[in-house]
Amino acid sequence: MIGIFDSGLGGLTAVAELRKALPNADYVYFGDTARIPYGTRSVETIRSYALQDCRFLMSMGVTSILAACGTVSTNALDTLRASFNVPIVGVVEGAAKKAAQIAKN
């Protein structure tokens, strides 16, 4: 099962794309609308929220996690990867790689 979280509902776009790529997978989505936006918070707070979000997803039995939040992807992925024994990816790294491929410089 793939867990996806965002600080709001924008990550549902990522869910839609994942469902196209992996239509037979099971998904759990967590949108932290109670604490939106993450971008105005300190790095420590962002990491704390992301850890809480991932703990929730782990309690649901996920085997991998997508941080569909750009703020978490740029500020907390290392913390999350060090804290959980499942693959954790963000949305910024993939987008940056794709942009670099397109730009070719």
Short mmCIF file of all heavy atoms in Angstrom, two decimals, residues 18-67:
data_model
loop_
_atom_site.label_atom_id
_atom_site.label_comp_id
_atom_site.label_asym_id
_atom_site.label_seq_id
_atom_site.Cartn_x
_atom_site.Cartn_y
_atom_site.Cartn_z
N LEU A 18 -0.51 8.69 -9.81
CA LEU A 18 -0.09 7.36 -9.35
C LEU A 18 -1.10 6.29 -9.78
O LEU A 18 -0.71 5.19 -10.19
CB LEU A 18 0.05 7.33 -7.83
CG LEU A 18 1.35 7.86 -7.25
CD1 LEU A 18 1.26 7.96 -5.74
CD2 LEU A 18 2.52 6.97 -7.66
N ARG A 19 -2.35 6.63 -9.68
CA ARG A 19 -3.39 5.64 -10.06
C ARG A 19 -3.32 5.31 -11.54
O ARG A 19 -3.63 4.19 -11.94
CB ARG A 19 -4.77 6.15 -9.67
CG ARG A 19 -4.93 6.15 -8.14
CD ARG A 19 -6.30 6.51 -7.74
NE ARG A 19 -7.13 5.36 -8.10
CZ ARG A 19 -8.36 5.18 -7.66
NH1 ARG A 19 -8.89 6.07 -6.86
NH2 ARG A 19 -9.06 4.13 -8.01
N LYS A 20 -2.91 6.28 -12.36
CA LYS A 20 -2.72 6.00 -13.79
C LYS A 20 -1.54 5.06 -13.99
O LYS A 20 -1.59 4.14 -14.80
CB LYS A 20 -2.47 7.29 -14.56
CG LYS A 20 -3.68 8.17 -14.72
CD LYS A 20 -3.29 9.44 -15.46
CE LYS A 20 -4.37 10.49 -15.39
NZ LYS A 20 -3.92 11.77 -15.99
N ALA A 21 -0.45 5.32 -13.26
CA ALA A 21 0.77 4.53 -13.42
C ALA A 21 0.68 3.17 -12.75
O ALA A 21 1.22 2.18 -13.25
CB ALA A 21 1.97 5.31 -12.85
N LEU A 22 -0.01 3.11 -11.61
CA LEU A 22 -0.12 1.86 -10.82
C LEU A 22 -1.59 1.62 -10.46
O LEU A 22 -1.98 1.76 -9.30
CB LEU A 22 0.73 1.96 -9.56
CG LEU A 22 2.22 2.23 -9.75
CD1 LEU A 22 2.89 2.62 -8.45
CD2 LEU A 22 2.89 1.01 -10.37
N PRO A 23 -2.40 1.27 -11.45
CA PRO A 23 -3.84 1.17 -11.20
C PRO A 23 -4.26 0.07 -10.22
O PRO A 23 -5.33 0.15 -9.64
CB PRO A 23 -4.43 0.91 -12.59
CG PRO A 23 -3.31 0.32 -13.38
CD PRO A 23 -2.05 0.93 -12.83
N ASN A 24 -3.42 -0.92 -10.01
CA ASN A 24 -3.79 -2.02 -9.12
C ASN A 24 -3.28 -1.85 -7.69
O ASN A 24 -3.52 -2.71 -6.85
CB ASN A 24 -3.31 -3.35 -9.70
CG ASN A 24 -4.00 -3.66 -11.03
OD1 ASN A 24 -5.19 -3.43 -11.17
ND2 ASN A 24 -3.24 -4.14 -11.98
N ALA A 25 -2.57 -0.77 -7.43
CA ALA A 25 -2.04 -0.54 -6.08
C ALA A 25 -3.14 0.00 -5.17
O ALA A 25 -4.14 0.56 -5.62
CB ALA A 25 -0.88 0.46 -6.15
N ASP A 26 -2.92 -0.19 -3.87
CA ASP A 26 -3.81 0.38 -2.87
C ASP A 26 -3.16 1.65 -2.33
O ASP A 26 -1.93 1.73 -2.22
CB ASP A 26 -4.03 -0.61 -1.72
CG ASP A 26 -4.82 -1.82 -2.15
OD1 ASP A 26 -5.78 -1.65 -2.93
OD2 ASP A 26 -4.48 -2.93 -1.71
N TYR A 27 -3.98 2.63 -1.98
CA TYR A 27 -3.49 3.94 -1.56
C TYR A 27 -4.17 4.40 -0.28
O TYR A 27 -5.33 4.09 -0.04
CB TYR A 27 -3.76 4.99 -2.65
CG TYR A 27 -3.12 4.66 -3.96
CD1 TYR A 27 -3.82 3.95 -4.94
CD2 TYR A 27 -1.82 5.03 -4.22
CE1 TYR A 27 -3.23 3.63 -6.15
CE2 TYR A 27 -1.22 4.71 -5.44
CZ TYR A 27 -1.92 4.01 -6.39
OH TYR A 27 -1.33 3.69 -7.58
N VAL A 28 -3.42 5.17 0.51
CA VAL A 28 -3.96 5.90 1.65
C VAL A 28 -3.49 7.33 1.49
O VAL A 28 -2.30 7.57 1.27
CB VAL A 28 -3.43 5.35 3.00
CG1 VAL A 28 -3.87 6.23 4.15
CG2 VAL A 28 -3.90 3.93 3.22
N TYR A 29 -4.41 8.28 1.56
CA TYR A 29 -4.07 9.69 1.43
C TYR A 29 -4.36 10.42 2.73
O TYR A 29 -5.42 10.23 3.33
CB TYR A 29 -4.87 10.34 0.29
CG TYR A 29 -4.52 11.80 0.10
CD1 TYR A 29 -3.37 12.15 -0.60
CD2 TYR A 29 -5.30 12.80 0.64
CE1 TYR A 29 -3.02 13.48 -0.76
CE2 TYR A 29 -4.95 14.14 0.50
CZ TYR A 29 -3.81 14.46 -0.21
OH TYR A 29 -3.47 15.78 -0.36
N PHE A 30 -3.42 11.25 3.15
CA PHE A 30 -3.63 12.10 4.31
C PHE A 30 -3.38 13.55 3.90
O PHE A 30 -2.28 13.91 3.51
CB PHE A 30 -2.69 11.71 5.46
CG PHE A 30 -2.85 12.60 6.66
CD1 PHE A 30 -4.00 12.55 7.43
CD2 PHE A 30 -1.87 13.52 7.00
CE1 PHE A 30 -4.15 13.37 8.53
CE2 PHE A 30 -2.01 14.34 8.10
CZ PHE A 30 -3.16 14.27 8.87
N GLY A 31 -4.42 14.37 3.98
CA GLY A 31 -4.32 15.80 3.73
C GLY A 31 -4.42 16.54 5.06
O GLY A 31 -5.48 16.51 5.68
N ASP A 32 -3.34 17.14 5.49
CA ASP A 32 -3.29 17.81 6.79
C ASP A 32 -3.88 19.22 6.69
O ASP A 32 -3.18 20.21 6.86
CB ASP A 32 -1.85 17.84 7.30
CG ASP A 32 -1.73 18.31 8.74
OD1 ASP A 32 -2.78 18.57 9.37
OD2 ASP A 32 -0.60 18.41 9.24
N THR A 33 -5.17 19.28 6.46
CA THR A 33 -5.83 20.58 6.28
C THR A 33 -5.93 21.37 7.58
O THR A 33 -6.14 22.58 7.54
CB THR A 33 -7.23 20.40 5.67
OG1 THR A 33 -8.00 19.54 6.52
CG2 THR A 33 -7.14 19.80 4.27
N ALA A 34 -5.76 20.71 8.72
CA ALA A 34 -5.85 21.42 10.01
C ALA A 34 -4.65 22.34 10.23
O ALA A 34 -4.77 23.33 10.96
CB ALA A 34 -5.94 20.41 11.15
N ARG A 35 -3.51 22.02 9.59
CA ARG A 35 -2.30 22.81 9.85
C ARG A 35 -1.75 23.48 8.59
O ARG A 35 -0.58 23.88 8.56
CB ARG A 35 -1.23 21.91 10.49
CG ARG A 35 -1.71 21.33 11.81
CD ARG A 35 -0.66 20.54 12.51
NE ARG A 35 -0.36 19.28 11.82
CZ ARG A 35 0.27 18.27 12.39
NH1 ARG A 35 0.67 18.35 13.64
NH2 ARG A 35 0.52 17.17 11.72
N ILE A 36 -2.57 23.59 7.58
CA ILE A 36 -2.16 24.22 6.33
C ILE A 36 -1.93 25.72 6.55
O ILE A 36 -2.65 26.32 7.34
CB ILE A 36 -3.21 23.96 5.23
CG1 ILE A 36 -2.67 24.26 3.85
CG2 ILE A 36 -4.48 24.69 5.49
CD1 ILE A 36 -3.58 23.79 2.73
N PRO A 37 -0.97 26.36 5.97
CA PRO A 37 0.09 25.85 5.10
C PRO A 37 1.34 25.50 5.89
O PRO A 37 1.61 26.10 6.92
CB PRO A 37 0.36 27.03 4.18
CG PRO A 37 0.15 28.23 5.04
CD PRO A 37 -0.98 27.84 5.99
N TYR A 38 2.10 24.55 5.38
CA TYR A 38 3.36 24.19 6.02
C TYR A 38 4.45 25.22 5.69
O TYR A 38 5.37 25.41 6.45
CB TYR A 38 3.84 22.82 5.55
CG TYR A 38 3.17 21.62 6.17
CD1 TYR A 38 1.99 21.73 6.90
CD2 TYR A 38 3.72 20.37 6.01
CE1 TYR A 38 1.39 20.60 7.45
CE2 TYR A 38 3.13 19.23 6.55
CZ TYR A 38 1.96 19.36 7.27
OH TYR A 38 1.37 18.25 7.81
N GLY A 39 4.35 25.85 4.53
CA GLY A 39 5.40 26.73 4.05
C GLY A 39 5.71 27.93 4.93
O GLY A 39 6.78 28.51 4.82
N THR A 40 4.80 28.29 5.80
CA THR A 40 5.04 29.43 6.69
C THR A 40 5.65 29.01 8.02
O THR A 40 5.90 29.86 8.87
CB THR A 40 3.73 30.18 6.97
OG1 THR A 40 2.81 29.27 7.61
CG2 THR A 40 3.10 30.70 5.69
N ARG A 41 5.92 27.73 8.19
CA ARG A 41 6.40 27.19 9.47
C ARG A 41 7.92 27.07 9.47
O ARG A 41 8.56 27.05 8.42
CB ARG A 41 5.80 25.81 9.73
CG ARG A 41 4.32 25.69 9.51
CD ARG A 41 3.51 26.53 10.49
NE ARG A 41 2.10 26.43 10.16
CZ ARG A 41 1.16 26.20 11.03
NH1 ARG A 41 1.43 26.08 12.31
NH2 ARG A 41 -0.10 26.13 10.64
N SER A 42 8.49 26.93 10.66
CA SER A 42 9.93 26.70 10.78
C SER A 42 10.28 25.31 10.27
O SER A 42 9.42 24.42 10.20
CB SER A 42 10.37 26.83 12.24
OG SER A 42 9.87 25.73 13.00
N VAL A 43 11.55 25.10 9.93
CA VAL A 43 12.00 23.79 9.47
C VAL A 43 11.73 22.74 10.54
O VAL A 43 11.30 21.62 10.22
CB VAL A 43 13.49 23.84 9.06
CG1 VAL A 43 14.02 22.44 8.78
CG2 VAL A 43 13.68 24.74 7.86
N GLU A 44 11.95 23.07 11.79
CA GLU A 44 11.71 22.12 12.88
C GLU A 44 10.24 21.71 12.94
O GLU A 44 9.91 20.54 13.13
CB GLU A 44 12.14 22.71 14.22
CG GLU A 44 13.63 22.93 14.35
CD GLU A 44 14.12 24.21 13.66
OE1 GLU A 44 13.31 25.13 13.41
OE2 GLU A 44 15.31 24.28 13.35
N THR A 45 9.36 22.68 12.77
CA THR A 45 7.92 22.39 12.79
C THR A 45 7.53 21.55 11.58
O THR A 45 6.76 20.59 11.71
CB THR A 45 7.11 23.69 12.84
OG1 THR A 45 7.45 24.38 14.04
CG2 THR A 45 5.61 23.42 12.80
N ILE A 46 8.06 21.87 10.41
CA ILE A 46 7.78 21.10 9.20
C ILE A 46 8.20 19.65 9.40
O ILE A 46 7.44 18.72 9.09
CB ILE A 46 8.49 21.72 7.98
CG1 ILE A 46 7.89 23.08 7.66
CG2 ILE A 46 8.41 20.79 6.77
CD1 ILE A 46 8.74 23.94 6.76
N ARG A 47 9.38 19.45 9.96
CA ARG A 47 9.85 18.08 10.20
C ARG A 47 8.97 17.37 11.21
O ARG A 47 8.64 16.19 11.04
CB ARG A 47 11.30 18.11 10.68
CG ARG A 47 12.26 18.49 9.58
CD ARG A 47 13.68 18.57 10.06
NE ARG A 47 14.54 18.93 8.94
CZ ARG A 47 15.69 19.57 9.08
NH1 ARG A 47 16.14 19.89 10.28
NH2 ARG A 47 16.40 19.87 8.02
N SER A 48 8.56 18.07 12.24
CA SER A 48 7.68 17.47 13.25
C SER A 48 6.35 17.06 12.64
O SER A 48 5.86 15.94 12.87
CB SER A 48 7.46 18.46 14.40
OG SER A 48 6.54 17.96 15.32
N TYR A 49 5.75 17.93 11.86
CA TYR A 49 4.48 17.61 11.21
C TYR A 49 4.65 16.42 10.26
O TYR A 49 3.81 15.51 10.23
CB TYR A 49 3.95 18.80 10.42
CG TYR A 49 3.43 19.95 11.22
CD1 TYR A 49 3.03 21.11 10.58
CD2 TYR A 49 3.32 19.92 12.61
CE1 TYR A 49 2.52 22.20 11.29
CE2 TYR A 49 2.83 21.01 13.32
CZ TYR A 49 2.44 22.14 12.65
OH TYR A 49 1.95 23.21 13.34
N ALA A 50 5.73 16.44 9.48
CA ALA A 50 5.96 15.35 8.52
C ALA A 50 6.15 14.02 9.23
O ALA A 50 5.64 12.98 8.77
CB ALA A 50 7.17 15.68 7.64
N LEU A 51 6.86 14.02 10.35
CA LEU A 51 7.03 12.79 11.13
C LEU A 51 5.68 12.28 11.63
O LEU A 51 5.40 11.08 11.56
CB LEU A 51 7.98 13.02 12.30
CG LEU A 51 9.46 13.13 11.93
CD1 LEU A 51 10.26 13.74 13.08
CD2 LEU A 51 10.02 11.77 11.53
N GLN A 52 4.85 13.18 12.12
CA GLN A 52 3.51 12.79 12.58
C GLN A 52 2.68 12.23 11.43
O GLN A 52 2.00 11.20 11.57
CB GLN A 52 2.81 13.98 13.21
CG GLN A 52 3.41 14.43 14.51
CD GLN A 52 2.84 15.74 15.00
OE1 GLN A 52 1.74 16.14 14.61
NE2 GLN A 52 3.58 16.43 15.85
N ASP A 53 2.76 12.88 10.28
CA ASP A 53 2.00 12.42 9.11
C ASP A 53 2.45 11.01 8.70
O ASP A 53 1.62 10.15 8.42
CB ASP A 53 2.19 13.39 7.94
CG ASP A 53 1.67 14.79 8.22
OD1 ASP A 53 0.91 14.98 9.19
OD2 ASP A 53 2.04 15.71 7.45
N CYS A 54 3.75 10.79 8.68
CA CYS A 54 4.27 9.47 8.30
C CYS A 54 3.93 8.40 9.34
O CYS A 54 3.65 7.26 8.97
CB CYS A 54 5.77 9.55 8.07
SG CYS A 54 6.20 10.37 6.52
N ARG A 55 3.96 8.77 10.60
CA ARG A 55 3.56 7.79 11.64
C ARG A 55 2.12 7.34 11.41
O ARG A 55 1.79 6.16 11.56
CB ARG A 55 3.72 8.39 13.03
CG ARG A 55 5.13 8.38 13.53
CD ARG A 55 5.23 8.82 15.00
NE ARG A 55 6.55 9.32 15.25
CZ ARG A 55 6.89 10.60 15.37
NH1 ARG A 55 5.98 11.54 15.31
NH2 ARG A 55 8.14 10.95 15.57
N PHE A 56 1.26 8.29 11.07
CA PHE A 56 -0.13 7.93 10.78
C PHE A 56 -0.18 6.96 9.60
O PHE A 56 -0.85 5.93 9.66
CB PHE A 56 -0.97 9.17 10.48
CG PHE A 56 -2.31 8.83 9.90
CD1 PHE A 56 -3.31 8.30 10.71
CD2 PHE A 56 -2.55 8.99 8.55
CE1 PHE A 56 -4.54 7.95 10.17
CE2 PHE A 56 -3.77 8.64 8.01
CZ PHE A 56 -4.77 8.12 8.82
N LEU A 57 0.52 7.29 8.52
CA LEU A 57 0.50 6.43 7.34
C LEU A 57 1.06 5.05 7.66
O LEU A 57 0.53 4.03 7.22
CB LEU A 57 1.26 7.08 6.19
CG LEU A 57 0.60 8.32 5.60
CD1 LEU A 57 1.53 8.99 4.60
CD2 LEU A 57 -0.73 7.99 4.95
N MET A 58 2.13 5.00 8.45
CA MET A 58 2.70 3.71 8.84
C MET A 58 1.69 2.90 9.65
O MET A 58 1.62 1.67 9.50
CB MET A 58 3.99 3.91 9.63
CG MET A 58 5.14 4.52 8.82
SD MET A 58 5.70 3.48 7.45
CE MET A 58 6.43 2.12 8.34
N SER A 59 0.90 3.56 10.48
CA SER A 59 -0.11 2.85 11.27
C SER A 59 -1.19 2.23 10.38
O SER A 59 -1.88 1.31 10.80
CB SER A 59 -0.75 3.78 12.30
OG SER A 59 -1.69 4.65 11.71
N MET A 60 -1.29 2.72 9.16
CA MET A 60 -2.25 2.20 8.20
C MET A 60 -1.66 1.05 7.38
O MET A 60 -2.34 0.47 6.54
CB MET A 60 -2.72 3.32 7.26
CG MET A 60 -3.39 4.49 7.98
SD MET A 60 -4.88 4.03 8.86
CE MET A 60 -5.96 3.65 7.51
N GLY A 61 -0.38 0.74 7.60
CA GLY A 61 0.24 -0.40 6.93
C GLY A 61 0.87 -0.10 5.59
O GLY A 61 1.06 -1.02 4.78
N VAL A 62 1.24 1.14 5.33
CA VAL A 62 1.84 1.46 4.04
C VAL A 62 3.22 0.85 3.91
O VAL A 62 3.91 0.61 4.91
CB VAL A 62 1.90 2.99 3.79
CG1 VAL A 62 0.51 3.60 3.85
CG2 VAL A 62 2.84 3.69 4.74
N THR A 63 3.62 0.60 2.67
CA THR A 63 4.94 0.03 2.40
C THR A 63 5.84 1.03 1.69
O THR A 63 7.02 0.73 1.46
CB THR A 63 4.80 -1.25 1.56
OG1 THR A 63 4.07 -0.94 0.37
CG2 THR A 63 4.08 -2.33 2.35
N SER A 64 5.31 2.17 1.32
CA SER A 64 6.10 3.27 0.74
C SER A 64 5.30 4.55 0.93
O SER A 64 4.08 4.51 1.13
CB SER A 64 6.41 3.03 -0.73
OG SER A 64 5.21 2.92 -1.47
N ILE A 65 6.01 5.69 0.89
CA ILE A 65 5.37 6.98 1.15
C ILE A 65 5.81 8.01 0.12
O ILE A 65 7.00 8.11 -0.19
CB ILE A 65 5.72 7.49 2.57
CG1 ILE A 65 5.15 6.53 3.63
CG2 ILE A 65 5.20 8.91 2.79
CD1 ILE A 65 5.57 6.86 5.05
N LEU A 66 4.84 8.76 -0.37
CA LEU A 66 5.10 9.92 -1.21
C LEU A 66 4.75 11.17 -0.43
O LEU A 66 3.60 11.35 -0.01
CB LEU A 66 4.26 9.89 -2.49
CG LEU A 66 4.27 11.17 -3.33
CD1 LEU A 66 5.68 11.50 -3.83
CD2 LEU A 66 3.28 11.07 -4.47
N ALA A 67 5.74 12.02 -0.20
CA ALA A 67 5.49 13.33 0.39
C ALA A 67 5.11 14.24 -0.76
O ALA A 67 5.96 14.73 -1.50
CB ALA A 67 6.74 13.84 1.11
#
